[in-house]
């Protein structure tokens, strides 16, 4: 393959013949393999469906074998049932995804997450460990396992589904917010390391989403505002990041306002948060 030849939306280097796609350029779906975690329901299931419609071959992870199999059937994907609170199962998931992809995973969507609502001192110790394992350690481990191959091939997308809680902090969800904040910082750090490699790193920052997450955290969402957005809107943002390589996306977009306010006028932000919650 000669240097400079256009192949599959990228450019092959003269030195290695590897295809490189600019991190901010479009991601061609043909032949690409995507791994979506937390795909049994909600954002993950919607993201898997959206990627499958665009031609990606999808590997879906979840803990509920029955519902995961249903999602996999709908998207013509491959289900891998795994508990991401267990390090060995995270390793097994990465190995299985690479096996399905013939040695490659091009798109990694780190979406799986668990939450817990209540006073921090009432949170069971084992729940703290489980939450940090699923929400922070597992995404880091999967990224570590799969990004070297992306970098070698000169193309990849890593999308982290974060939370506005990780940008602002939320009373009653201290550990969850801390884990998501850690994910933000990790994403920003590896983005710098991967600059120029063809591997893009994105963070999708949703607010309240209409999924079973709130019931599972132990307390349903009861506030009138902000109103929950459909999971499909978050999935659309994930796909836009996959296809365009954007560094971040807020869902809904107005969530950027309180984040900017907190950054430039923290006193004003805290006064508003104390007054309006």
């Amino acid at each position: 393959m000669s240097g400079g030849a256009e192949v599959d939306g990228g450019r092959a280097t003269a030195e290695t013949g590897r295809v490189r796609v600019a991190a901010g350029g479009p991601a061609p779906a043909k032949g690409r393999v995507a791994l979506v975690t937390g795909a049994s329901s909600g954002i993950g299931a919607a993201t898997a469906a959206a990627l499958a419609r665009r031609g990606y071959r999808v590997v879906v992870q979840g803990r509920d074998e029955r519902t995961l199999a249903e999602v996999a059937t709908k998207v013509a994907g491959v289900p891998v049932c795994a508990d991401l609170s267990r390090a060995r199962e995270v390793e097994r998931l990465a190995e299985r995804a690479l096996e399905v992809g013939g040695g490659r995973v091009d798109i990694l969507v780190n979406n799986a997450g668990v939450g817990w609502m209540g006073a921090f001192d009432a949170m069971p110790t084992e729940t703290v460990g489980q939450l940090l394992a699923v929400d922070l350690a597992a995404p880091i481990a999967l990224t570590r396992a799969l990004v070297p191959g992306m970098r070698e091939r000169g193309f990849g997308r890593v999308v982290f589904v974060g939370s506005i809680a990780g940008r602002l902090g939320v009373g009653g969800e201290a550990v969850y917010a801390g884990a998501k904040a850690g994910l933000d910082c990790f994403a920003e750090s590896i983005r710098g390391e991967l600059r120029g490699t063809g591997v893009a790193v994105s963070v999708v920052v949703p607010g309240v989403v209409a999924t079973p997450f709130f019931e599972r955290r132990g307390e349903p969402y009861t506030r009138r505002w902000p109103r929950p957005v459909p999971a499909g809107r978050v999935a659309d943002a994930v796909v836009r990041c996959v296809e365009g390589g954007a560094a971040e996306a807020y869902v809904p977009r107005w969530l950027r306002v309180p984040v900017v306010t907190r950054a430039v006028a923290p006193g004003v932000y805290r006064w508003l948060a104390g007054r309006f919650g």
Side-chain angles (χ1 to χ4, degrees):
M1 186 179 294
S2 61
E6 295 294 333
V7 180
D8 199 19
R11 185 176 297 275
T13 63
E15 295 82 10
T16 66
R18 289 176 292 164
V19 174
R20 290 208 177 277
V21 178
K30 186 177 180 181
R32 303 292 191 195
V33 178
L35 168 60
V36 182
T37 67
S40 297
S41 62
I43 296 169
T47 297
L51 290 171
R53 286 194 296 269
R54 285 159 174 78
Y56 294 92
R57 187 179 185 194
V58 183
V59 179
V60 291
Q61 175 275 334
R63 289 183 299 172
D64 187 309
E65 188 171 354
R66 181 183 61 81
T67 57
L68 187 65
E70 292 173 356
V71 171
T73 299
K74 290 177 182 177
V75 303
V78 178
V80 181
C81 195
D83 181 354
L84 299 189
S85 69
R86 300 176 180 272
R88 184 64 192 96
E89 296 213 16
V90 177
E91 294 174 8
R92 180 175 62 82
L93 171 62
E95 292 166 358
R96 177 58 178 146
L98 287 168
E99 180 183 332
V100 170
R104 64 186 295 161
V105 171
D106 306 286
I107 313 296
L108 170 60
V109 180
N110 283 305
N111 166 73
V114 295
W116 192 87
M117 182 69 178
F120 173 62
D121 58 5
M123 189 174 186
T125 301
E126 61 272 19
T127 304
V128 174
Q130 180 191 36
L131 193 152
L132 291 174
V134 175
D135 292 8
L136 183 57
I140 290 175
L142 287 172
T143 302
R144 188 165 187 254
L146 300 177
V147 159
M150 297 179 188
R151 184 166 46 199
E152 175 64 24
R153 292 186 297 273
F155 174 84
R157 298 287 189 263
V158 182
V159 182
F160 298 93
V161 178
S163 170
I164 192 62
R167 297 281 169 108
L168 298 176
V170 177
E173 295 185 85
V175 177
Y176 175 76
K180 291 298 186 180
L183 207 58
D184 262 347
C185 195
F186 174 71
E188 190 69 32
S189 300
I190 63 165
R191 183 182 297 115
E193 293 186 24
L194 294 171
R195 187 172 293 112
T197 66
V199 182
V201 178
S202 307
V203 179
V204 175
V205 186
V208 184
V209 186
T211 72
F213 174 84
F214 291 98
E215 285 73 19
R216 291 172 181 165
R217 72 174 184 175
E219 184 175 314
Y221 183 78
T222 57
R223 296 181 59 169
R224 293 187 178 182
W225 188 88
R227 301 180 70 177
V229 300
R233 282 187 60 183
V234 185
D236 289 344
V238 172
V239 171
R240 287 196 301 272
C241 288
V242 167
E243 295 183 338
E248 65 180 23
Y250 286 86
V251 185
R253 293 181 181 178
W254 64 260
L255 285 177
R256 187 183 299 271
V257 174
V259 174
V260 171
T261 302
R262 180 177 181 270
V264 301
V268 172
Y269 169 79
R270 293 189 183 102
W271 181 83
L272 291 170
R275 184 178 179 86
F276 299 107

